[in-house]
């Protein structure tokens, strides 16, 4: 039975160019989307840009241009980078687009009709970098500075419309408590629960002093608070409230909102409360991944450790896109904080070469030299070494599916390498090159070559979502075409006896000098 799968990234502020952080979330979402497509799910992968708010206005003013021009300029860079990175998103939502604006106005109008919105006045602190209201207690605790950017908080005092967050907060808390998989990882879930238990205020959802935003339908002198506008993207992109809402009906509720940990509260409190107000089901999961630093420090232009778009392009030009994907995914258990480190990058590239590249190379050489490139049937009784390889092949699909189900992306990257390591160990201990010299050992050699081939094939199929170019090149060398079959079918079937292999070529060439990444 085929099912649907909907995954989103945050929509990024185009107040600057994308960097390592944006790239990471988007590559992770891309990997998960690729996996689900291969698994046979009808998949929808959404990304986009969050173009309104004070931050955009201030950055544009500093550059002497209009916010719209700033957005257009940087959106083009985001779109180009995603193209260069081979990102397979199905849609790119811009919050300045008409389809989004109209739907946001419908959303606000529905909340208003539901008596969830009322006019009042906001008096308090605002973090412009995060576009976040900060309570007096929090502001004091943070010494009136942003917890994320360290810049001073701004004081606001103006009329505003409020959303009745206090009405929904107990329901949101109960939902989170009753649905353990809604917020992942577990530690993040606990954070939200304890903060919710401290109580919330109603949420200011309009700005009367800002012009760059979506006008409130019933009071166009106000624009919609940028987070209400932005969170709505997850349904406006699907056509919520539009004449054609077929995508919305097919894909909502979404399966995973992938986000960085700093925007957890918005996604697990404001967004669920809004959806409850709209009478809509909640997304199945919000997964908050960790934060990147570089060489042990917060990324910063002045420190010179900022992994910007130029740096990413340089790494890709030297090592290839797949090496970057692999490094980012295996850098830490998914959900934990991560640190960019040049030496680790080179190590992870060498791991690809020494483990995956090596077993492919050995397999194709041996099968070419000893069996004319044709897969033999096993020709001897199985011993413990053979059984270890066959067991690893058998367990691989289940382990991989389970790792993707848990979004344990580091495991998703390492499982195929583990299988390849088993093959390398198998070759080292059974020594097919010696057996090849002894005609009486032909049957034994057939068994070993057969086992190696089945495992190498599965390792490359399994790593396709992470190394789309390299794994496809490896499969082309193995002369297999898996199109038209699901991942489960391919992994279960393995290679048929008599399969004719192609020629091997180095997948991960040595890079000299292996300087910094
Ligand atoms: O917050 N480490 O946009 P944004 C890991 N527009 N991930 C990082 C990162 C880092 N150092 N830096 C950025 C916004 N990210 C809002 C979102 S969604 C309805 C609105 C990634 O441009 C990570 O995914 O500041 C983080 O959540 C996101 O970029 C923030 O992007």
């Amino acid at each position: 039975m085929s099912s649907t799968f909907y995954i989103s990234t945050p929509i990024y502020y185009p107040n600057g160019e994308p960097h390592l952080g944006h790239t990471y979330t988007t590559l992770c979402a891309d990997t998960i989307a690729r996996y689900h497509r291969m698994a046979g799910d009808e998949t929808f992968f959404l990304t986009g840009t969050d173009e309104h708010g004070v931050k955009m206005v201030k950055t544009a003013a500093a550059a002497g241009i209009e916010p719209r021009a700033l957005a257009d300029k940087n959106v083009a860079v985001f779109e180009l980078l995603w193209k260069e990175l081979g990102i397979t998103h199905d849609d790119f939502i811009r919050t300045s687009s008409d389809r989004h604006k109209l739907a946001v106005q419908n959303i606000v109008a529905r909340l208003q009709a539901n008596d969830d919105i009322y006019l009042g006045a906001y008096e308090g602190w605002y973090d412009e970098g995060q576009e976040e209201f900060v309570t007096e207690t929090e502001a004091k605790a943070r010494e009136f500075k942003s917890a994320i950017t360290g810049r001073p908080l701004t004081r606001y005092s103006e009329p505003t419309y409020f959303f009745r967050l206090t009405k929904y907060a107990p329901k949101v808390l109960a939902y989170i408590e009753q649905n353990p998989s809604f917020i992942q990882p577990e530690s993040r879930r606990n954070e939200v629960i304890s903060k919710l238990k401290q109580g919330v205020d109603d949420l200011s959802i309009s700005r009367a002093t800002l012009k760059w935003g979506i006008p409130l339908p019933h009071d166009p002198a106000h624009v919609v608070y940028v987070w209400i506008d932005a969170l709505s993207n997850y349904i406006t992109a699907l056509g919520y409230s539009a004449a054609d809402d077929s995508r919305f009906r097919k894909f909502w509720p979404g399966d995973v909102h992938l986000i960085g940990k700093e925007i957890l509260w918005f996604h697990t409190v404001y967004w669920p409360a809004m959806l409850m107000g709209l009478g809509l089901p909640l997304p199945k999961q919000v997964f908050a991944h960790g934060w990147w630093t570089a060489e042990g420090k917060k990324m910063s232009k002045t420190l010179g450790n900022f992994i910007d778009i130029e740096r990413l392009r340089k790494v890709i030009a030297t090592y290839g896109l797949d090496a970057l994907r692999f490094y980012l995914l295996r850098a830490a258990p998914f959900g934990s904080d991560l640190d960019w480190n040049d030496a680790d990058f080179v190590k992870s590239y060498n791991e690809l070469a020494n483990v995956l590249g090596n077993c492919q190379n050995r397999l194709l050489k041996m099968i070419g030299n000893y069996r004319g490139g044709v897969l033999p049937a096993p020709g001897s009784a199985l011993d413990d070494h053979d059984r270890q390889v066959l067991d690893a092949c058998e367990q691989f699909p289940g382990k991989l599916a389970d790792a993707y189900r848990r979004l344990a992306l580091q495991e998703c990257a390492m499982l195929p390498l583990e299988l390849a390591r088993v093959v390398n160990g198998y070759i080292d201990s059974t020594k097919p090159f010696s057996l090849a010299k002894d005609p009486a050992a032909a049957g034994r050699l057939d068994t070993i070559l057969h086992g190696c081939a089945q495992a190498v094939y599965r390792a490359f199929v399994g790593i396709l979502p992470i190394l789309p170019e390299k794994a496809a090149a490896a499969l082309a060398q193995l002369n297999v075409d898996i199109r038209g079959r699901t991942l489960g079918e391919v992994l279960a079937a393995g290679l048929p006896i008599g399969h004719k292999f192609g020629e091997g070529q180095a997948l991960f060439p040595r890079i000299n000098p292996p300087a910094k990444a």
Side-chain angles (χ1 to χ4, degrees):
M1 194 187 74
S2 108
S3 43
T4 61
F5 184 80
Y6 171 23
I7 183 162
S8 61
T9 71
I11 50 171
Y12 308 112
Y13 293 124
N15 65 322
E17 292 187 341
H19 56 67
L20 172 65
H22 308 113
T23 300
Y24 177 63
T25 317
T26 310
L27 282 177
C28 290
D30 181 66
T31 297
I32 299 165
R34 283 175 187 266
Y35 170 79
H36 279 274
R37 287 191 199 105
M38 282 181 69
D41 295 332
E42 194 173 349
T43 300
F44 186 74
F45 166 21
L46 178 69
T47 190
T49 42
D50 181 2
E51 305 185 14
H52 296 127
V54 188
K55 178 145 105 176
M56 285 297 289
V57 169
K58 292 211 164 164
T59 316
I65 54 175
E66 291 298 314
R68 175 78 207 205
L70 176 69
D72 286 348
K73 180 170 136 255
N74 285 318
V75 167
V77 185
F78 272 91
E79 287 188 310
L80 178 64
L81 183 64
W82 297 161
K83 199 165 166 209
E84 289 171 13
L85 296 180
I87 302 299
T88 59
H89 51 289
D90 297 289
D91 200 354
F92 188 103
I93 181 94
R94 296 187 58 175
T95 57
S96 60
S97 62
D98 285 342
R99 64 170 171 147
H100 175 76
K101 286 194 219 162
L102 287 173
V104 167
Q105 289 186 320
N106 290 338
I107 287 168
V108 174
R110 282 183 199 182
L111 293 176
Q112 167 121 36
N114 203 28
D115 189 32
D116 283 337
I117 289 175
Y118 63 93
L119 184 62
Y122 181 77
E123 166 80 48
W125 299 99
Y126 194 73
D127 177 343
E128 289 184 342
Q130 284 300 98
E131 301 279 9
E132 180 176 8
F133 296 99
V134 180
T135 64
E136 195 64 41
T137 330
E138 282 167 338
K140 230 179 242 161
R142 298 176 192 177
E143 293 174 340
F144 304 96
K145 287 191 197 122
S146 165
I148 308 285
T149 65
R151 291 200 204 104
L153 300 176
T154 314
R155 182 109 190 140
Y156 280 160
S157 172
E158 61 182 50
T160 187
Y161 287 90
F162 284 99
F163 170 66
R164 295 189 197 279
L165 187 62
T166 45
K167 168 174 153 193
Y168 292 105
K171 292 180 196 157
V172 172
L173 177 58
Y175 186 90
I176 294 170
E177 286 184 321
Q178 284 155 19
N179 294 273
S181 60
F182 175 58
I183 304 178
Q184 283 295 315
E186 183 74 18
S187 56
R188 301 277 165 245
R189 174 171 179 260
N190 297 336
E191 270 170 31
V192 176
I193 290 177
S194 67
K195 192 169 167 197
L196 261 173
K197 283 187 173 160
Q198 289 164 26
V200 296
D201 296 328
D202 282 342
L203 176 66
S204 161
I205 57 140
S206 77
R207 297 294 314 277
T209 50
L210 191 68
K211 294 286 157 270
W212 177 238
I214 303 174
L216 277 196
H218 58 281
D219 188 350
H222 288 242
V223 298
V224 177
Y225 169 43
V226 65
W227 269 102
I228 299 292
D229 168 350
L231 289 163
S232 303
N233 93 87
Y234 300 123
I235 58 174
T236 67
L238 297 178
Y240 173 72
S241 82
D244 177 6
D245 67 350
S246 51
R247 256 188 353 188
F248 174 73
R249 281 185 280 114
K250 180 181 277 178
F251 289 108
W252 194 257
D255 292 82
V256 185
H257 289 325
L258 196 59
I259 59 168
K261 65 180 186 181
E262 86 293 7
I263 54 175
L264 185 65
W265 181 251
F266 304 96
H267 282 81
T268 54
V269 177
Y270 297 170
W271 180 226
M274 285 169 67
L275 288 165
M276 286 175 179
L278 295 168
L280 294 175
L282 306 195
K284 291 174 207 153
Q285 185 167 86
V286 177
F287 194 107
H289 65 62
W291 202 247
W292 276 96
T293 51
E295 309 290 350
K297 297 197 183 72
K298 185 177 156 97
M299 281 198 285
S300 117
K301 302 226 158 138
T302 37
L303 284 180
N305 67 344
F306 199 85
I307 312 291
D308 62 9
I309 191 167
E310 290 320 317
R311 187 70 197 286
L312 292 168
R313 283 182 172 137
K314 223 153 120 198
V315 167
I316 294 168
T318 312
Y319 293 90
L321 173 57
D322 285 2
L324 175 68
R325 293 176 70 107
F326 181 71
Y327 171 69
L328 297 183
L329 261 67
R330 72 143 304 173
F334 198 50
S336 304
D337 287 338
L338 315 102
D339 185 49
W340 177 285
N341 178 285
D342 286 341
D344 284 348
F345 192 106
V346 174
K347 246 193 246 159
S348 97
Y349 181 82
N350 290 338
E351 189 178 25
L352 284 175
N354 296 338
V355 180
L356 268 186
N358 191 27
C359 76
Q360 164 90 345
N361 184 33
R362 291 169 103 182
L363 170 74
L364 286 177
K365 267 213 182 108
M366 291 192 302
I367 270 202
N369 290 344
Y370 309 148
R371 293 295 178 264
V374 175
L375 180 67
S380 62
L382 302 183
D383 70 11
D384 283 352
H385 293 300
D386 310 325
R387 263 187 229 105
Q388 200 196 345
V389 176
L390 296 181
D391 286 352
C393 286
E394 214 166 279
Q395 288 163 13
F396 181 64
K399 283 189 182 171
L400 193 70
D402 182 57
Y404 272 102
R405 189 186 49 72
R406 291 180 285 116
L407 297 187
L409 293 185
Q410 188 192 47
E411 286 178 42
C412 298
M414 294 318 288
L415 282 168
L417 266 83
E418 273 168 32
L419 188 55
R421 264 199 195 98
V422 170
V423 174
N424 285 330
Y426 184 46
I427 296 173
D428 293 344
S429 51
T430 56
K431 302 194 172 37
F433 21 89
S434 306
L435 296 175
K437 293 179 194 142
D438 174 8
R444 180 80 200 111
L445 181 59
D446 282 348
T447 303
I448 295 164
L449 295 177
H450 184 91
C452 288
Q454 298 296 6
V456 170
Y457 170 57
R458 284 174 171 85
F460 279 105
V461 169
I463 207 158
L464 260 169
I466 295 172
L467 307 179
E469 284 174 6
K470 295 292 184 181
L475 293 174
Q477 293 175 15
L478 296 177
N479 192 29
V480 287
D481 184 355
I482 62 164
R483 279 175 301 182
R485 289 182 291 161
T486 65
L487 181 66
E489 288 163 359
V490 171
L491 290 177
L495 288 170
I497 289 157
H499 176 81
K500 178 94 181 80
F501 291 95
E503 289 283 308
Q505 256 176 11
L507 289 167
F508 304 98
R510 209 154 283 289
I511 288 161
N512 284 320
K516 63 180 215 164

